Amino acid sequence: MAETDRVDSALLSVSDKTGLLPFARRLADLKVRLISTGGTARHLREHGVQVEEVSELTGFPEILEGRVKSLHPRIHGGILARRSSRADMRTLEQHGIGPISLVAVNLYPFRETVARGRVAPEEALEQIDIGGPALLRAAAKNHPSVTVVVDPADYPRIEAELISLHRRTRPETRLELARKAFRHTAEYDLAVTAWLEALAGPSDGLPPAISLDLRLAAALRYGENPHQRGGLYRSSVQEGGVAAARQHQGKELSFNNLLDLDSAWRLALEFDQPFCAIVKHTNPCGAAVGDTSAEAFERARACDPVSAFGSIVAFNRRLDEAAARQLRELFVEAVIAPGYEAAALEALTAKKNLRVMEMDLELEGGGELDVRSISGGFLVQDRDRYYLEQEGLKVASRRQPSSREWEDLLFAWKVCKHVKSNAIVLAHRQQTVGIGAGQMSRVDSVRLAARKAVLPLDGSVLASDAFFPFRDGVDGAADAGVEAVIQPGGSVRDAEVVEAADEHEMAMVLTGVRHFRH
């Protein structure tokens, strides 16, 4: 009976040939029998490494243009036989099958192929590996006796153990590598599934199942608080998003930084004009458009300069030197933009702890579904991508909004979508002047927005993320100087609310759509 954990034969079949030659040569030096598939075998022979092709071992050629080559009992029997089972080992002897105790396989580059975009389905289908995952799963299943290697970065450590342990590897190493192999095949299958779902096109309903394919990208110092562990995980299927933003400088990102960066960036994407959002604890404390990013930043900061201290700032334009120099005057935790001029990056180096993040607009990320955790499960919904157009909105009041009020109402509505409910946004000339976030009653949100305002409120407009249940919110807004309101409507007291607007000679627009953000 063969020793249960000694490596006498190794199967090598890889698409990524990084580090393969030195690894194969080391195995050959250790008198390990090398078995390989067509492309890998040719590569090794061309570089002087002698191998036995799978077709020679099985006595059956590769068929269907390589679609079938390693799916054979002489291969999988040699991998899956339990070395501690006398019956299994007798079966191998009866059929002349030798054990295979090391399997080094990586898979066809399916993800890399479909990532190129506009790939013909026929080409993508040919990059779906069948034999490779089967080999990996077989070897990982039998890890008490078989070493499975899916990552070329692991070759050196395997070599070292084989040398020091006389052609053996440690049980704990085999277990770790087995976990890695199953994780790799799971991610691969999820990538194929995601491509097939995209190929089918959007459906009317939610998907019947969702797999969260996440990999640890960075261990954070802690979570929301120092007593909580925290980490950044990225999807291996969905690229882009704030999770993939490039950091130019600054301290390590924290858990809370990332939450705020995501909130600020999503708000910045709402606008076509140069825009700046200043966010604190995932709520905007200032937002404005301007002729330039520098002007937008100054107008956003003016809304609530106290809360802007220690904030996150987002721009929707490539940041220039003028905006960078103004940004230096405020203590900011992080800034995010779709690019930076060289002079802007140079100017920001004066704030060495400032986290400077760059987004790729081509990889917005985030997908179409919003997933949040609750105890025992997850809540899933479509992302809130509803955008209003002035045409079709209902003016419920006697007075029509002026053209300037229409601009401000639509501006305030976009910002309100990104404020925690109950949300009230006061705005004037496309600049927030007061924000009431996260209050338990809507009238308190109105009062908070007016009380926090440091800019004049006369002539301002108000956006409410949901309907007014009573007229008191409208009365309070009128007392503060608000002249126009945009809100969803739908309250049983809508008539009373509209009557209050008419009494104050306010314009009131009903959207028919709410924007709760919990």
Side-chain angles (χ1 to χ4, degrees):
M1 184 184 302
E3 293 189 51
T4 60
D5 59 354
R6 193 176 68 188
V7 176
D8 293 317
S9 296
L11 174 63
L12 310 177
S13 179
V14 296
S15 289
D16 179 2
K17 295 178 174 56
T18 303
L20 175 65
L21 287 173
F23 184 57
R25 286 170 177 147
R26 178 61 69 186
L27 293 175
D29 291 343
L30 292 171
K31 308 303 181 185
V32 175
R33 176 191 185 193
L34 300 183
I35 306 162
S36 189
T37 52
T40 304
R42 285 192 298 274
H43 177 75
L44 291 173
R45 284 172 176 163
E46 287 170 0
H47 291 84
V49 180
Q50 294 305 307
V51 296
E52 181 179 357
E53 287 204 42
V54 164
S55 58
E56 297 170 354
L57 179 64
T58 63
F60 202 94
E62 294 184 10
I63 62 173
L64 306 180
E65 297 181 340
R67 279 191 166 199
V68 179
K69 46 195 170 189
S70 61
L71 298 171
H72 195 281
R74 288 191 176 276
I75 300 299
H76 285 273
I79 296 171
L80 282 166
R82 290 160 292 192
R83 309 310 196 253
S84 59
S85 166
R86 292 183 179 274
D88 282 9
M89 300 310 291
R90 277 199 302 268
T91 298
L92 293 189
E93 292 175 5
Q94 289 169 3
H95 295 280
I97 298 173
I100 299 174
S101 297
L102 188 148
V103 174
V105 170
N106 53 61
L107 308 178
Y108 294 168
F110 174 81
R111 279 177 286 198
E112 293 81 358
T113 299
V114 298
R116 299 201 310 262
R118 297 187 179 180
V119 175
E122 296 78 11
E123 181 182 356
L125 284 172
E126 290 308 313
Q127 293 301 321
I128 298 177
D129 205 330
I130 301 300
L135 291 170
L136 290 175
R137 291 172 61 83
K141 175 177 180 176
N142 204 23
H143 70 268
S145 303
V146 179
T147 303
V148 58
V149 192
V150 71
D151 184 354
D154 288 319
Y155 292 162
R157 60 186 290 208
I158 301 304
E159 291 178 22
E161 288 195 18
L162 291 172
I163 293 169
S164 64
L165 299 177
H166 308 289
R167 290 204 323 224
R168 294 178 178 83
T169 56
R170 294 183 175 87
E172 56 269 27
T173 299
R174 296 195 295 274
L175 175 60
E176 177 193 343
L177 294 174
R179 291 198 304 266
K180 194 169 185 177
F182 274 115
R183 185 165 58 243
H184 184 73
T185 57
E187 291 172 355
Y188 194 84
D189 286 342
L190 284 174
V192 174
T193 302
W195 175 75
L196 290 172
E197 289 175 346
L199 195 66
S203 63
D204 294 334
L206 289 168
I210 297 174
S211 298
L212 297 179
D213 177 25
L214 305 175
R215 178 171 290 185
L216 183 64
L220 306 175
R221 284 189 299 165
Y222 47 78
E224 285 184 286
N225 299 290
H227 62 274
Q228 296 169 272
R229 292 183 298 172
L232 169 63
Y233 287 76
R234 290 182 188 155
S235 170
S236 63
V237 175
Q238 178 68 50
E239 294 185 17
V242 167
R246 175 188 177 193
Q247 184 168 357
H248 285 280
Q249 69 166 58
K251 296 193 297 185
E252 176 186 348
L253 288 167
S254 73
F255 189 98
N256 295 335
N257 289 157
L258 287 161
L259 287 174
D260 285 336
L261 283 165
D262 190 60
S263 296
W265 180 246
R266 291 188 185 278
L267 174 52
L269 289 177
E270 296 276 356
F271 292 88
D272 296 325
Q273 315 101 302
F275 174 83
C276 176
I278 302 177
V279 166
K280 196 77 170 285
H281 302 303
T282 72
N283 276 307
C285 58
V289 300
D291 292 334
T292 65
S293 292
E295 181 185 8
F297 170 68
E298 283 302 310
R299 299 185 80 224
R301 179 169 65 169
C303 173
D304 189 350
V306 173
S307 296
F309 182 86
S311 61
I312 302 291
V313 180
F315 295 90
N316 67 349
R317 292 288 193 279
R318 183 178 175 87
L319 203 67
D320 58 20
E321 183 179 8
R325 289 190 177 278
Q326 289 182 324
L327 191 65
R328 290 192 320 189
E329 299 172 4
L330 176 68
F331 169 61
V332 172
E333 290 281 355
V335 58
I336 188 166
Y340 297 84
E341 294 182 359
L345 288 175
E346 178 64 26
L348 293 175
T349 57
K351 308 278 284 189
K352 64 179 182 178
N353 289 329
L354 173 66
R355 303 160 176 92
V356 177
M357 309 301 297
E358 180 174 344
M359 287 296 299
D360 184 347
L361 285 175
E362 298 299 318
L363 296 172
E364 179 187 337
E368 294 300 318
L369 296 178
D370 178 24
V371 181
R372 305 187 200 182
S373 65
I374 60 172
S375 55
F378 294 86
L379 296 173
V380 179
Q381 63 178 348
D382 294 323
R383 290 205 177 276
D384 189 352
R385 298 186 185 275
Y386 192 96
Y387 298 102
L388 286 182
E389 298 290 343
Q390 181 177 333
E391 295 76 14
L393 293 180
K394 178 183 179 182
V395 179
S397 58
R398 288 195 297 264
R399 184 171 79 77
Q400 293 283 324
S402 67
S403 59
R404 192 270 302 166
E405 287 171 341
W406 269 117
E407 287 184 349
D408 285 346
L409 287 168
L410 294 174
F411 168 87
W413 183 255
K414 289 179 180 179
V415 176
C416 194
K417 173 181 170 183
H418 297 267
V419 177
K420 291 292 184 72
S421 188
N422 287 324
I424 295 292
V425 173
L426 305 179
H428 188 242
R429 298 194 182 281
Q430 300 192 73
Q431 173 188 27
T432 55
V433 295
I435 299 174
Q439 299 306 298
M440 283 66 74
S441 70
R442 194 153 300 277
V443 67
D444 282 340
S445 288
V446 173
R447 292 167 180 160
L448 177 61
R451 188 168 68 247
K452 286 182 67 64
V454 296
L455 297 170
L457 287 173
D458 289 342
S460 62
V461 306
L462 178 151
S464 173
D465 67 337
F467 63 66
F468 285 96
F470 305 99
R471 64 170 289 163
D472 52 3
V474 177
D475 293 330
D479 292 341
V482 171
E483 294 185 355
V485 172
I486 187 168
Q487 56 119 341
S491 167
V492 295
R493 294 184 176 85
D494 269 358
E496 296 176 25
V497 173
V498 173
E499 182 181 1
D502 287 337
E503 288 178 13
H504 297 296
E505 298 184 350
M506 301 168 73
M508 180 168 284
V509 176
L510 303 183
T511 67
V513 176
R514 79 176 189 197
H515 278 309
F516 273 167
R517 180 171 175 249
H518 281 69

